[in-house]
Amino acid sequence: MKPQVISIVGPTAVGKSELAVQIAHQFNGEVISGDSMQIYKSMDIGTAKVTEEETEGIPHHMINIKEPNESFSVAEFQERVSLLISEITSRQRLPVIVGGTGLYIQAVLYDFNFSSEKRNPDIVEKLEQEAAEQGIESLYNRLKTIDPAQAAKVHPNNERRVIRALEVYETTGQTLSHNHDDQSQNSPYIPHIIGLEMERTALYDRINTRVDEMLDQGLEEEVRSLYDQGFENCQSMKAIGYKEFIPYFKGEYSYERAVELLKRNSRRYAKRQFTYFKNKLNVQWYSVNPLKKNDKNEKILMDLAGMLEET
């Protein structure tokens, strides 16, 4: 019988981590972080990692497994999490994946075959040279024409992912999003995907408040420490919450501008997350009112109990 896996998805700041702990308590589960940045050590505040107190004794996996200067990919995430799911289910416990990195979670639940997308060093070198000569914007505009669905998921300045998507197309003649869509038909698991959504104004208020709380907790100092250690150009420092401070440290704009951009980028990211989950995964959505969150969580726990019993 296929293992059952619960996934909690939705935009940042909507309350996923708290719900995941409640589900793990209720159904003898262990939590797996589905966030592509919580894997990095020393990046605690800006990635909103759960504290030891917030875990309430529930095991949490895929947190603090990489140094800030190490690279990470969706393929590695898939490999590690697939193994974790096997280990957790072998202990007669329930895997609970929680996070907001849609492609990572989708790749695990639907077992994307990344081995079919081999690297082509010649094409990569050619594209990197084009990026150096013409700028990454030129390549991103080409990706928008070739594969608009994939372009919508990639930040225009994320050179690595833009080049990867173009490389797959030039190597195989098929777009990366087409390859992923083809694989999103069957799952090696019985996935129960719970989505949390919130009225936009309320969500944006929560995001702005969360940023203020992160700043009070020492976010600027956390980013400056990483910057001073020479991690400026690492993959990890491209994350929202970190990249906004680097121009401020260099004197290119003010602290107030850095905070403004951080809040704006966080709100935009939340919108992209919601769009991705709506379009790519079969999600059971629940609208959360911040003032009645506990009532909604109780409803979700009851519904999950029914879903797990049915299967």
Side-chain angles (χ1 to χ4, degrees):
M1 191 176 188
K2 292 181 179 181
Q4 298 195 79
V5 178
I6 293 175
S7 295
I8 312 299
V9 303
T12 186
V14 79
K16 299 185 296 293
S17 297
E18 180 182 348
L19 175 61
V21 168
Q22 293 181 8
I23 289 172
H25 275 306
Q26 180 94 3
F27 301 108
N28 191 32
E30 298 185 21
V31 174
I32 301 171
S33 170
D35 187 291
S36 61
M37 289 297 156
Q38 291 187 356
I39 61 166
Y40 290 111
K41 300 174 184 177
S42 304
M43 299 179 70
D44 303 330
I45 300 172
T47 63
K49 287 178 190 169
V50 290
T51 63
E52 184 174 352
E53 181 180 2
E54 288 169 341
T55 67
E56 298 183 8
I58 297 294
H60 279 62
H61 306 276
M62 295 299 290
I63 296 175
N64 296 331
I65 62 172
K66 291 277 187 177
E67 298 295 336
N69 61 345
E70 291 185 284
S71 61
F72 194 64
S73 69
V74 61
E76 183 178 350
F77 177 85
Q78 180 202 53
E79 181 180 1
R80 285 174 174 262
V81 173
S82 297
L83 180 60
L84 274 170
I85 290 173
S86 296
E87 292 174 351
I88 292 169
T89 54
S90 73
R91 295 193 287 268
Q92 306 300 310
R93 295 173 71 88
L94 183 66
V96 182
I97 304 175
V98 57
T101 308
L103 178 60
Y104 280 47
I105 294 173
Q106 188 183 17
V108 169
L109 294 181
Y110 295 98
D111 196 24
F112 283 2
N113 180 13
F114 292 100
S115 62
S116 64
E117 300 165 9
K118 301 291 187 184
R119 303 312 306 256
N120 188 315
D122 293 337
I123 291 179
V124 171
E125 183 178 359
K126 175 177 74 74
L127 292 168
E128 288 177 343
Q129 185 173 347
E130 287 184 40
E133 294 174 353
Q134 304 172 22
I136 189 60
E137 183 179 358
S138 174
L139 269 65
Y140 182 75
N141 287 336
R142 188 190 311 170
L143 179 61
K144 285 200 296 185
T145 301
I146 293 170
D147 188 0
Q150 184 66 20
K153 296 183 286 188
V154 179
H155 191 279
N157 293 332
N158 192 329
E159 181 173 317
R160 181 178 60 86
R161 289 189 63 189
V162 170
I163 287 177
R164 178 59 173 150
L166 290 173
E167 176 203 353
V168 168
Y169 178 74
E170 293 193 19
T171 302
T172 68
Q174 291 188 329
T175 64
L176 192 57
S177 60
H178 180 271
N179 290 352
H180 289 168
D181 288 342
D182 276 355
Q183 296 181 68
S184 296
Q185 304 301 319
N186 298 298
S187 174
Y189 312 112
I190 302 174
H192 306 286
I193 309 176
I194 302 299
L196 301 183
E197 59 183 340
M198 188 177 292
E199 189 273 326
R200 182 167 295 183
T201 300
L203 178 63
Y204 286 178
D205 286 345
R206 283 175 65 88
I207 290 171
N208 292 337
T209 299
R210 174 186 267 192
V211 170
D212 291 335
E213 291 171 350
M214 288 177 172
L215 293 169
D216 290 341
Q217 293 164 9
L219 176 59
E220 179 188 350
E221 292 76 10
E222 178 175 275
V223 183
R224 188 179 290 277
S225 175
L226 295 163
Y227 176 76
D228 289 344
Q229 293 176 67
F231 296 137
E232 174 186 349
N233 296 315
C234 295
Q235 177 184 343
S236 60
M237 292 291 276
K238 307 301 182 186
I240 295 171
Y242 297 86
K243 63 182 180 180
E244 292 84 3
F245 280 99
I246 293 175
Y248 160 61
F249 295 155
K250 294 180 175 181
E252 296 174 8
Y253 53 56
S254 67
Y255 172 81
E256 289 74 19
R257 178 60 175 163
V259 173
E260 177 188 344
L261 289 174
L262 171 51
K263 290 181 177 180
R264 185 201 69 182
N265 291 343
S266 297
R267 294 191 300 267
R268 288 181 176 179
Y269 179 56
K271 185 177 179 180
R272 293 198 302 273
Q273 286 176 301
F274 185 67
T275 300
Y276 188 95
F277 290 124
K278 281 281 189 180
N279 293 337
K280 295 293 184 179
L281 293 172
N282 182 20
V283 179
Q284 177 70 47
W285 288 100
Y286 294 85
S287 183
V288 179
N289 181 330
L291 300 179
K292 299 180 179 179
K293 184 171 57 176
N294 291 335
D295 292 344
K296 184 64 66 174
N297 286 358
E298 286 295 326
K299 164 68 172 167
I300 293 170
L301 291 172
M302 290 177 59
D303 289 352
L304 269 176
M307 293 179 199
L308 293 170
E309 286 178 6
E310 288 176 2
T311 52

